[in-house]
Structures are given as structure tokens and as C-alpha cells.
């Protein structure tokens, strides 16, 4: 543990900064020394040398900052020697001040670099947790090509309440889940984990899509309320909007159950069609004490080269500076000829440009193209 500051001390440059920036403090030191020596005796520019280590903190590590501080102090000594004032109290006070400021700057660098290392370690743990919780979807399953995109609202976060998952069944179909858990923070992440776990445990075992929906609602309600008192259960507001799909390998259709989730889009050529089910059921977790036992399945045509676009409300409710929602229905038809991965790259760039890089809510998108029947 004691050697960590020295490990930080050897870090020369901050990420994203060019070593060429070191010419700024070096040039400042040289310029101040030359001008001060050539100036009249009553003009003293030496105190300006303190800016050299202060500037270096912005782009370099502790080692380079210490070097600039040492060069600045050496420059002040050189000025004192050339002007014959080194023994005076004024020049000695300036040298001591330079050393003190340099030490402070180096200390700031060490503390900052150690905290950045801690943040990187935390982020690496968060990335590992994300890879376990929100597992990447397969790029190919049966006749389907799949791509997924997750954009957290918090810049330093990797995971929130939006979720997606996929599973293969024994009767040659692919089942998919996309959902949005109410709230944010650790509570939302916990509930997202509950829903994902329930789906992964049952998606390949439940014979029908309605039975899978019943299982998810019951498992979610039990897991979020089993340790609560009756009064707390009556006021429990944990729920998740969700959409379940079952896409057979050899039948050009998609079976769908919507639980309060925004409708999927079917893109065929340059035409976009919202898949509006006749019945949109209550969100997962709102099944009540006896649960929902009757889910309606809607079946839509899903032919070769068609593309399904699933998304959470963080996409369509993203606002720009003028308060305008992101126009997904207008933009998506222009990308239908793209590979799903390419489509999501276009969507990500366009969405972030619309909100100027700042989302107010997490956003998740899944693009599915049927390649064969």
C-alpha cells in the first residue's frame, strides 16, 4: 500500500493529453528567465515562474509536475545569480515559495491520480457486473440477426433499470424480453436482476408465452415483496413494463405479449409499422394478490428481411434543448437497409446528437432481422 503514491508518481501524462503540452510550462520558464534578466533592475518577473507547475497539473502526472517545479526553482536561482541578488531575502523568499507551491502541486497530482485509479477499479467492477447481469445478446440465433444497445443516463454508470435478454427454446424458436424497471439507482438494478433471473430460468422451459408471462409476474411480485409487511406490500410500487416475444425459426411470424411497454416497430423496406397489440396488459409486478392468469398473445407477420425494433421509453421520451421528443418513427425508416449493428450505431449517434450527449433516462434498443425462414 505504501508504494502506491510512487506508482502514481511515475505516471507521466493524464489520459487524453499530449506530451507536447509540456512545452507550455517549459516555454514559460525560459521566457520569464530571459525577460527578467534583460529587464531593468526595478522589474521582477520571477514570481511568474510559479505558474509553470500550476499549469502542468492540468495535463501531467506528479513526476512531470515535480520536474517543472524544479526547473522553475532553478530558473529563479539563475535569475538571482545573473542579477547578483541571490543572497537577498526577497529572492530567497521567492525560491522558497516556488518550492512550496511545487510540493502542493505534486501532492494534488498524487491524490488525484490515486482517486482516478480507484474510479477505474470501480468502473472495471461495474463492467464485470454488467456483463454478468445484462449479458450481451447473441449476434445470431436461428434465422435471426440480433444487435442490442444500452445507453445509461448517468455518465459514470454502466447499468440502470432497462434490460433485455434472449433464450432459445426446445421447439426451435427464440424468445426475447425487453423491459424497463420503475425508478433508478440500486433499487432499479436489483429489480432488473430479479426480472432477468426469472426470465433466464424459465424462458426455455415454459411451454407457452402466456405461461412465461405469468411466471415472470409471479416471480417478480414475490421477490420484491416477500420480506415486506402487509402494510408495505399494499403500498409497494415496484413494477416493470415489459415486452415478450417468441419468434419461430420456420414460421414467418412473431408472437408478442405487451405488459405496458411501448409498441415494437416493424420495418419493411422504408415503411415503419407500429405493432399495436389489441390488449396491453398491466406491467410486470401489478398482477395483484392472485396474479394475472390470462395473457393475450398477438401474432404479427415477420418475413425475411423484415426488421423488428424494440426499445424502452428512454428513447422516444428523450428531449432536446427545445423540449422536443426524439423522432424515432421519422428517423428509423432511413436505416432499414442497414445491418442491425449498423442501424444501432446510426441510432446511437443520432439520439445523442438530439439530446446533446445527455440523456435524462436510460435507453435500451434491440434490433432483430430475419434472414431466412
Amino acid at each position: 500500500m505504501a508504494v502506491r503514491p510512487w506508482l502514481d508518481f511515475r505516471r507521466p501524462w493524464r489520459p487524453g493529453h499530449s506530451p507536447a503540452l509540456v512545452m507550455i510550462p517549459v516555454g514559460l520558464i525560459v521566457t520569464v528567465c530571459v525577460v527578467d534578466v534583460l529587464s531593468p533592475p526595478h522589474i521582477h518577473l520571477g514570481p511568474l515562474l510559479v505558474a509553470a507547475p500550476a499549469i502542468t497539473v492540468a495535463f501531467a502526472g506528479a513526476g512531470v509536475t515535480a520536474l517543472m517545479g524544479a526547473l522553475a526553482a532553478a530558473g529563479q536561482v539563475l535569475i538571482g545569480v545573473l542579477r547578483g541578488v541571490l543572497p537577498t531575502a526577497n529572492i530567497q523568499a521567492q525560491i522558497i515559495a516556488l518550492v512550496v507551491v511545487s510540493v502542493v502541486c505534486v501532492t494534488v497530482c498524487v491524490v488525484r491520480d490515486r482517486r482516478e485509479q480507484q474510479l477505474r477499479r470501480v468502473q472495471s467492477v461495474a463492467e464485470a457486473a454488467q456483463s454478468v447481469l445484462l449479458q450481451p445478446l447473441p449476434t445470431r440465433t436461428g434465422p435471426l440477426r440480433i444487435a442490442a444497445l444500452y445507453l445509461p443516463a448517468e455518465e459514470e454508470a454502466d447499468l440502470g433499470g432497462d434490460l433485455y435478454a434472449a433464450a432459445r427454446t426446445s421447439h426451435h424458436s427464440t424468445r426475447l424480453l425487453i423491459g424497463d424497471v420503475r425508478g433508478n439507482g440500486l433499487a432499479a438494478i436489483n429489480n432488473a436482476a430479479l426480472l432477468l433471473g426469472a426470465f433466464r430460468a424459465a424462458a426455455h422451459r415454459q411451454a407457452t408465452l402466456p405461461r412465461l408471462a405469468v411466471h415472470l409476474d409471479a416471480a417478480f411480485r414475490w421477490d420484491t415483496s416477500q420480506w415486506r409487511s402487509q402494510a408495505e406490500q399494499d403500498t409497494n410500487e415496484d413494477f416493470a413494463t415489459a415486452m415478450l416475444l417468441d419468434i419461430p425459426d420456420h414460421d414467418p411470424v412473431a408472437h408478442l405479449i405487451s405488459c405496458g411497454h411501448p409498441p415494437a416497430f416493424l420495418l419493411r423496406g422504408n415503411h415503419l409499422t407500429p405493432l399495436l397489440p389489441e390488449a396491453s396488459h398491466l406491467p410486470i409486478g401489478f398482477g395483484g394478490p392472485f396474479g394475472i392468469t390470462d395473457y393475450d398473445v398477438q401474432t404479427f407477420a415477420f418475413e425475411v428481411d423484415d426488421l423488428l425494433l424494440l426499445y424502452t421509453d428512454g428513447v422516444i421520451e428523450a428531449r432536446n434543448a427545445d423540449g422536443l421528443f426524439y423522432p424515432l418513427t421519422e428517423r428509423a425508416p432511413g436505416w432499414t437497409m442497414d445491418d442491425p449493428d449498423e442501424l444501432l450505431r446510426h441510432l446511437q449517434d443520432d439520439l445523442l446528437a438530439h439530446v446533446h450527449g445527455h440523456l435524462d433516462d436510460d435507453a435500451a434498443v434491440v434490433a432483430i432481422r430475419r434472414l431466412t425462414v
Side-chain angles (χ1 to χ4, degrees):
M1 295 294 292
V3 300
R4 285 185 178 178
W6 296 105
L7 294 175
D8 293 337
F9 195 87
R10 293 198 297 266
R11 186 185 301 275
W13 313 108
R14 297 196 66 196
H17 292 79
S18 170
L21 291 173
V22 77
M23 297 308 298
I24 297 175
V26 170
L28 176 64
I29 293 171
V30 172
T31 301
V32 169
C33 289
V34 171
V35 175
D36 193 289
V37 170
L38 298 178
S39 297
H42 63 280
I43 296 178
H44 303 282
L45 300 180
L48 292 177
L49 290 170
V50 74
I55 292 173
T56 309
V57 172
F59 61 84
V64 177
T65 301
L67 176 60
M68 291 301 106
L71 290 178
Q76 186 67 78
V77 171
L78 178 62
I79 291 172
V81 170
L82 295 179
R83 301 190 69 164
V85 294
L86 185 59
T88 65
N90 182 48
I91 199 72
Q92 291 176 3
Q94 292 180 25
I95 294 172
I96 293 173
L98 267 172
V99 172
V100 171
V101 170
S102 298
V103 170
V104 171
C105 290
V106 170
T107 303
V108 169
C109 284
V110 171
V111 173
R112 179 197 63 200
D113 290 348
R114 291 192 66 181
R115 289 188 175 181
E116 288 180 348
Q117 286 183 355
Q118 292 173 349
L119 178 59
R120 282 191 289 271
R121 286 194 292 269
V122 171
Q123 288 176 329
S124 67
V125 172
E127 290 171 0
Q130 181 189 29
S131 66
V132 173
L133 181 57
L134 193 64
Q135 298 176 3
L137 297 183
T139 57
R140 180 72 185 265
T141 170
L144 307 178
R145 175 80 174 177
I146 302 178
L149 170 67
Y150 187 90
L151 296 174
E154 299 292 337
E155 293 182 1
E156 301 298 335
D158 291 308
L159 190 62
D162 290 12
L163 56 96
Y164 48 71
R168 288 288 292 172
T169 69
S170 58
H171 52 276
H172 305 292
S173 72
T174 299
R175 285 180 173 170
L176 296 111
L177 164 70
I178 187 167
D180 184 0
V181 174
R182 173 188 175 273
N184 49 40
L186 292 177
I189 294 174
N190 179 65
N191 288 340
L194 293 177
L195 189 54
L196 286 168
F199 176 83
R200 289 170 182 150
H204 63 287
R205 294 189 296 109
Q206 297 295 340
T208 65
L209 210 57
R211 288 186 61 184
L212 176 58
V214 169
H215 172 82
L216 294 183
D217 180 73
F220 187 85
R221 285 187 294 106
W222 175 255
D223 282 329
T224 56
S225 63
Q226 60 179 320
W227 306 117
R228 293 187 172 100
S229 66
Q230 184 60 48
E232 290 175 325
Q233 291 183 27
D234 292 340
T235 59
N236 180 27
E237 295 184 356
D238 290 327
F239 66 88
T241 66
M243 181 174 291
L244 287 167
L245 292 96
D246 189 288
I247 304 176
D249 290 352
H250 305 297
D251 193 5
V253 297
H255 306 295
L256 179 154
I257 292 177
S258 176
C259 299
H261 201 74
F265 290 146
L266 175 69
L267 293 99
R268 180 174 295 162
N270 292 325
H271 185 67
L272 181 146
T273 303
L275 300 185
L276 300 172
E278 294 179 2
S280 181
H281 299 281
L282 291 173
I284 299 294
F286 272 173
F290 303 105
I292 299 175
T293 58
D294 186 17
Y295 283 91
D296 294 323
V297 178
Q298 301 293 311
T299 300
F300 299 92
F302 184 40
E303 302 174 356
V304 175
D305 288 334
D306 285 354
L307 189 142
L308 273 175
L309 197 62
L310 317 177
Y311 56 93
T312 59
D313 58 11
V315 177
I316 57 174
E317 293 181 2
R319 296 173 182 261
N320 62 12
D322 298 324
L324 300 177
F325 291 116
Y326 178 68
L328 179 61
T329 57
E330 298 175 11
R331 305 290 175 82
W335 305 322
T336 54
M337 300 307 294
D338 293 330
D339 177 82
D341 289 293
E342 188 67 22
L343 183 149
L344 293 190
R345 279 192 289 270
H346 283 305
L347 175 58
Q348 178 177 357
D349 293 342
D350 195 50
L351 177 60
L352 292 179
H354 179 79
V355 298
H356 303 289
H358 178 71
L359 285 168
D360 293 327
D361 190 11
D362 299 333
V365 189
V366 178
I368 310 159
R369 186 181 294 281
R370 181 183 284 277
L371 302 178
T372 60
V373 177

